[in-house]
Amino acid sequence: MPVETRSFDPAAYLDGPDAIAAYLQGAFADGDPAEITDALGVVARARGMSALAEETGLSRQALYKALSNEGNPEFGTVLRVLHALGLRLNPEIIPA
């Protein structure tokens, strides 16, 4: 008997600011730009792409494209998305 599976969508579990911040901290910790972009896309879907587009002043299509797996958003776009999510970048020293 075959096992039925369904796709895992982390956006379903990002139900508040603390969960969103923890999810993004994990992505930023690795420093992989593709992982960060993907995580921002997941958070955008969790928050609602239309609402986020309105808050950033970007179109939904531009956000979907920039925050897709193949996306390469400009730094300004990343900052606008983070600001709309109520977050900011906070540099910290990397332990030796």
Side-chain angles (χ1 to χ4, degrees):
M1 177 172 218
V3 176
E4 291 186 33
T5 62
R6 38 188 169 139
S7 298
F8 174 74
D9 185 7
Y13 299 92
L14 301 178
D15 55 1
D18 292 334
I20 289 170
Y23 184 73
L24 288 175
Q25 285 171 349
F28 275 83
D30 291 339
D32 177 13
E35 186 176 347
I36 293 168
T37 299
D38 182 59
L40 285 171
V42 169
V43 171
R45 285 189 295 106
R47 278 280 308 272
M49 197 64 82
S50 295
L52 193 61
E54 188 174 315
E55 290 177 50
T56 61
L58 301 167
S59 70
R60 284 180 60 237
Q61 293 81 7
L63 280 177
Y64 273 115
K65 183 177 177 183
L67 303 179
S68 72
N69 289 338
E70 296 82 31
N72 188 16
E74 292 182 9
F75 189 63
T77 300
V78 171
L79 292 178
R80 288 164 84 174
V81 169
L82 288 172
H83 182 74
L85 294 171
L87 301 168
R88 66 174 161 232
L89 289 179
N90 188 22
E92 62 182 65
I93 297 171
I94 299 171

